[in-house]
Amino acid sequence: MPESKGRFGIHGGQYIPETLMNAVIELEGAYNNYKNDPGFNAELNTLLNEYAGRPSRLYYARKMTEDLGGAKIYLKREDLNHTGAHKINNVLGQALLARKIGKTRLIAETGAGQHGVAAATAAALMDMECVVFMGEEDTKRQALNVYKMRLLGAEVIPVKTGTATLKDAVSEAMREWTTRIGDTHYCLGSVMGPHPFPTIVRDFQSVISKEIRQQIMEKEGRLPDAVIACVGGGSNAIGSFYHFIGDKSVRLIGCEAAGQGADTFETAATINTGKLGIFHGMKSYFCQNEYGQIAPVYSISAGLDYPGVGPEHAYLHDIGRAEYVPVTDDEAVDAFEYLSRTEGIIPAIEAAHALAYAIKIASEMDKDKIIVITVSGRGDKDCAAIARYRGENVSE
Amino acid sequence: MSRIADVFKNGKAFIPFVTCGDPDLETTGKIVSAMAENGADLIELGIPFSDPIAEGPIIQEANMRALSGGVTTDEIFDFVRRIRKKVSIPMAFMTYSNIVFSYGPEKFIAACSRTGIGGLILADLPYEEKDEFEPLCKKYGIDLISLIAPTSENRIAVIAKEASGFVYIVSSLGVTGVRSEINADIGAMVKLVREYTDVPCAVGFGISSPEQAKKMAGLADGVIVGSAIVKLVAKYGRDSAPYVGEYVRNIKENIR
């Protein structure tokens, strides 16, 4: 009898071509073998600490707190990691795992380019070959990251099919994996795709909430009242939520990219506007038309511009444990500018979605409440695009 | 035994593929008739999907052409109902899980049964997930086709034991497309399948020339050709039916 694996409630599973099944089974076996291996974990921790710069800071945003006049605001500074985003946490784990099972080549998809840069970085460090698939549209929006990946020795393949954005990059990476499995590991960048990826990526990203918990206990002696993170596929969000899921007093809030608005077609707010479906290896919520054709989604943020959401988020939504709220382009851009001006921190436009929602609710909360916002990445990569959004022509 | 298994009773079967609605359903209708008249044994009708992850560029483009023409699942069922009045040839759908899931699995599979679709091939539904649709397929007498790939190895036994209709042997690693060489040991895969089931084996992915078809037919019970036909449709568009017919006849003659 067949047994479906990797379920989060009704979500998850392994909806992939037969050609890939033994590859994901091999990966699952390897992961189960190494995840509790002291040697593997020691090696990974050394990399995270010495190379990626962990633990990342939990910074008390005093000026923002005073300005908003409500809840006390802490920022989890994933932007300070090596390569400038949370993506490195997952990539170091997966690259190390891939090397242990004899793979010499990493392939990856990327939207904003942050995961691609992280994958290229890990590949350079671990002497692996690296090929990154990136929607052609995104290679234009994030030209600097394309250059960085090449500088790091990776090959960047612009994907021209479909909408030429993140979903097409994922499809193309999956196609490439079916072509070459023997020496190649598909280093998926988010908590999505077929089992075991949603679990592996969550585990590698859960270092974020593990640290937040410890750091907030040291600073405040208690748990926060809310943890807020942006959600595309949802890896920094699940990483920020994971060690708080059992603590019902902690509100978990995921901020989806609403683009021009969750009531328009120009949106990527999957949980708010999508419906249950099966795509990219998983059952979850997807933006799609009535016949199941995946919708072309839109967000100013290339990293959140994805029509699906990780299955564990879909489950946390179903059971009401986490809230998922839409944040528009305009709101995110305002927050991008606000944090830069107020705290001297330029956040990634993805993270600006989480900041925007925090700005909305913080002032309505009492002063003895505590909010933690994960700043998933830094915003250097977005400066030119935001300038253009504001009508200024800045060349990179 | 289902109608699909009957397909393999009179020698080697030829199974051509076409994407519904590429470039429009009227053309697909002409192509299906031409296939039936020229010796096809079973026709694989593709329902286009926006993001077909198992397809190479040729069939991806066919999907895009069909979808930009606006074809929908409802229109495809109507089309099958109409074409059924002209051709009696067995037909199977080839598509992706979300097409069936979003339509409503029971509504979709019941409609297959009503319109005379005998089989369902879902490129992204491996053995582990077949419970998603298989109980309904059994209820309505539709064969949910199992796929076996060159990487399946130890999985072949469990998959073959529960196969129905035919076993779709994926000839090569990678996605669909036209290949100059097929390197996987198809003979060994078929032999292994036959240890566990009497269900016939058809080989697909990468086959285009009559020589390849002949060779593959020698190793299995049938041959599936997709991309080579879709290429003709891309080239000749609304006038492609006679070219497809000629191609089908040529392949069928070579595998007899």
Side-chain angles (χ1 to χ4, degrees), chain A residues 240-259:
Chain A
S240 303
F241 295 171
Y242 187 65
H243 287 282
F244 296 109
I245 291 175
D247 301 294
K248 298 284 150 58
S249 66
V250 183
R251 276 177 75 187
L252 305 176
I253 304 172
C255 301
E256 297 194 312

Side-chain angles (χ1 to χ4, degrees), chain A residues 58 72 74-76 208-210 212-213 216 223-231 236-245 247 249-255 313 321-325 354 357-358 361 365 370-375:
Chain A
L58 185 70
K72 205 167 176 184
Y74 282 91
L75 304 178
K76 180 59 172 167
I208 301 173
S209 51
K210 192 176 160 195
I212 295 174
R213 209 181 160 92
I216 201 78
L223 297 180
D225 298 287
V227 176
I228 306 179
C230 62
V231 177
N236 93 82
I238 210 80
S240 303
F241 295 171
Y242 187 65
H243 287 282
F244 296 109
I245 291 175
D247 301 294
S249 66
V250 183
R251 276 177 75 187
L252 305 176
I253 304 172
C255 301
H313 286 294
R321 179 61 192 96
E323 305 155 50
Y324 295 87
V325 297
Y357 191 71
I361 64 167
M365 291 169 76
I370 299 168
I371 296 179
V372 176
I373 307 155
T374 298
V375 181

Side-chain angles (χ1 to χ4, degrees), chain A residues 1-5 7 12-22 25 161-162 167-168 170-172 174-176 178-181 275-281 283 286 288-295, chain B residues 48-56 60 64 67 71-74 97-99 101-103 123-133 147-155 159 162 170 172-175:
Chain A
M1 277 298 286
E3 183 203 353
S4 174
K5 288 183 174 170
R7 291 284 171 173
Q14 294 177 302
Y15 300 86
I16 47 173
E18 168 61 22
T19 306
L20 290 176
M21 278 308 297
N22 264 330
I25 290 168
T161 53
K167 83 170 164 82
D168 308 288
V170 173
S171 297
E172 210 49 41
M174 283 186 171
R175 290 183 186 117
E176 170 65 18
T178 61
T179 302
R180 194 165 158 186
I181 291 169
K275 60 175 187 168
L276 192 62
I278 296 170
F279 182 49
H280 278 163
K283 186 180 276 184
F286 296 96
Q288 53 185 310
N289 76 8
E290 60 171 312
Y291 291 105
Q293 307 295 350
I294 303 303
Chain B
F49 181 48
S50 52
D51 301 80
I53 59 161
E55 313 300 345
Q60 280 180 50
M64 294 318 285
L67 290 174
V71 72
T72 67
T73 309
D74 280 322
S97 296
N98 204 44
I99 296 295
F101 187 81
S102 72
Y103 197 77
D124 58 352
L125 194 81
Y127 175 81
E128 280 74 359
E129 303 297 350
K130 69 178 183 164
D131 275 358
E132 190 77 49
F133 304 121
L147 288 94
I148 281 175
T151 50
S152 295
E153 298 167 357
N154 55 333
R155 299 168 50 77
I159 297 171
E162 297 179 24
V170 176
S172 318
L173 287 178
V175 292

Side-chain angles (χ1 to χ4, degrees), chain A residues 62 352 358 363:
Chain A
R62 185 181 56 80
S363 57

